[in-house]
Structures are given as structure tokens and as C-alpha cells.
Amino acid sequence: MTHEAALRLGIFLGLLAAFALWEALAPRRADPPARTRRWPVNLAFVVLGGLVTRVVLPGGVAAFAASAQANGWGFLAALAIPDWAAFVVSIVALDLAIYFQHRLFHRIPVFWSIHRMHHSDTMFDVSTAVRFHPVEIGLSLAIKVAVVAVIGASPESVLAFEILLNAASLFNHTNGRMPDWIERPLRLIVVTPDMHRIHHSARREETDSNFGFSVSIWDRLFATYRAEPADGQDGLTIGLESYRERESQGLLRLLAQPFGRGQ
Ligand SMILES: [Zn+2]
């Protein structure tokens, strides 16, 4: 395992354990999390996603960035700006690209059929953060590679962005309770679990809002921000109407889900 891969895995496991402890000790919603049924399935997608990355892009996006930079690709190569400024521009540009990728995955039916597996989880906790279809992982990699090539992002900025995105996603899917006096000001800057939970609502207009993963500014700026769910944080139904039965939540059924019918 490379140094970068070990660093990413270490941070991932540390945050996963910390957020799991938080939501176990102080849950935001009282509905039973059904961990023994959901967690093995959701966590299996970490392994499957990792395998797809190994096959599609063995060195990861950061290694691609190193070769892109060596070839002088991207607009940053043409701009004479300091390294720290290029680092910031790369992270902001990658984050904005992921925001629009997420909107695209909701808007285009074939992409939605792949992305909806993430939304079909009937609960919302830190394990939901890693539940992405392997095809979506592959598509995301392709999009990230294209964006890195256009920007000319450095491998360091790509690694920092991937760690940030991963950490933000684990955080904003957590079912941990947070006092209002922390949540309100925090939400002005970052996507909080209360903000992202609305994105996991069964109401389509709520699913199609709060697309951001890290900072809340993109949703505010592009008018996709929704402050409160119609049924309140405790009444909000999580998941999708077509995938409520227990049989639809097995690993094989979830892998097959993009190819079947549904909402
Ligand atoms: Zn989504």
C-alpha cells in the first residue's frame, strides 16, 4: 500500500469510529439504526469501491495528477501564481465540480438510476456515507480525472481534496446530535448532518436540494439550498418509496438496482 493510501485509510477508519461513537452515544433521530442489518451491506461498498478504483485507476487520482502536471496540462500551468494559490484554486474547483456532478447525477435519468442506490438507504447514519454503487465510483473517478486535467491540479491538492471530501461526507451523514447554537453558525460554512439529511428525504423536491458535500456556499449560491424539511427533522421520511421493503436492501439487490425499475 502506498503512503497516500495508508494515510487515507487511517483517516477514514479514525473518523468512521469517532462518528459511529458519537451517533451511538447521542443520536439525532430516535429511529432504530438497524446496524446489524445495514452496516455489513453498506461497508461492503467500501471494499467494492476500492476494487473499482484499483482496476480503473491503479495509482488513484493523485498519481494521475502527477503525470498530468509533468505533461504541463491544465490552466494552472499557464498561470504564474504561487503554489499555495494554485493549491486553493484546485481544491475550490474540484469541490465545485463535485457539486455539479451531484446535480447531474440527480438530473439525468441514467445517472440517477445509479446514484439512487445511495438514496435508497432507509436510514441515515455514518455508514450511509460510503454506500455508493461501484459504477458511480467509476464514473466519479472519470469525472475527477477530467477536472484534474483541465485544472492542472497538483497531486498534493488532489490528495488533500480527497481526504477533505471523504471526511466531510462521513461527517454530514452522521446521526449525531448537535446543539442548535453550534449547528446554526456551523451551517453558514459547512454542510451539517441536519442540512444533508434533507437531501435523503423521500420527498423528491427535498432530495433535489442540498447537493453540497463540504461547504454550504454552493447550494446557497446556486439556489438549491433548503433550510428545513417539510415534515421536520424528526418526521422526515428517509429513503425512496420504491425501495422500502427489506428484500430490496440486500447487497446483490442493491448492485442490481440501477438495472431494475424504480422511482
Ligand atoms: Zn444525491
Side-chain angles (χ1 to χ4, degrees), residues 133-247:
H133 198 283
V135 174
E136 178 166 356
I137 300 287
L139 285 169
S140 293
L141 279 174
I143 292 170
K144 270 188 220 150
V145 158
V147 173
V148 164
V150 169
I151 303 172
S154 68
E156 295 78 23
S157 66
V158 169
L159 179 65
F161 174 72
E162 294 209 289
I163 290 172
L164 258 166
L165 185 69
N166 194 234
S169 180
L170 288 170
F171 168 69
N172 67 40
H173 286 91
T174 299
N175 184 38
R177 180 168 290 279
M178 194 189 293
D180 268 357
W181 63 270
I182 297 178
E183 205 275 338
R184 293 295 147 187
L186 191 62
R187 196 197 279 210
L188 294 174
I189 304 162
V190 303
V191 177
T192 62
D194 275 5
M195 181 179 161
H196 193 68
R197 189 178 298 104
I198 302 168
H199 183 74
H200 282 260
S201 164
R203 290 175 180 265
R204 187 71 208 209
E205 69 277 16
E206 292 180 351
T207 314
D208 289 339
S209 67
N210 297 359
F211 292 97
F213 278 108
S214 53
V215 287
S216 61
I217 189 169
W218 305 132
D219 283 300
R220 296 175 195 276
L221 200 59
F222 298 109
T224 51
Y225 176 68
R226 193 176 290 267
E228 289 299 330
D231 301 317
Q233 287 288 356
D234 291 301
L236 148 70
T237 305
I238 290 164
L240 299 173
E241 286 313 321
S242 309
Y243 305 99
R244 303 224 73 90
E245 344 72 71
R246 182 172 285 217
E247 309 80 70

Side-chain angles (χ1 to χ4, degrees), residues 102 106 115 118-119 199:
H102 193 182
H106 277 243
H115 178 63
H118 175 67
H119 283 267
H199 183 74

Side-chain angles (χ1 to χ4, degrees), residues 7-112:
L7 179 72
R8 287 194 58 190
L9 185 64
I11 292 174
F12 167 74
L13 292 174
L15 288 177
L16 181 70
F19 293 147
L21 191 66
W22 175 22
E23 64 188 15
L25 295 176
R28 172 70 174 87
R29 275 166 59 110
D31 21 4
R35 289 193 190 91
T36 46
R37 178 169 57 83
R38 291 175 49 253
W39 277 51
V41 173
N42 286 356
L43 292 176
F45 286 105
V46 177
V47 179
L48 293 173
L51 286 173
V52 167
T53 308
R54 274 291 175 84
V55 171
V56 176
L57 203 64
V61 185
F64 172 81
S67 56
Q69 208 173 39
N71 287 313
W73 292 355
F75 67 80
L76 283 176
L79 297 176
I81 60 171
D83 284 353
W84 67 265
F87 185 85
V88 173
V89 169
S90 298
I91 288 184
V92 171
L94 279 162
D95 198 50
L96 182 60
I98 293 296
Y99 165 83
F100 278 109
Q101 174 194 317
H102 193 182
R103 286 187 64 172
L104 194 74
F105 275 30
H106 277 243
R107 178 75 65 88
I108 312 285
V110 65
F111 287 162
W112 169 249

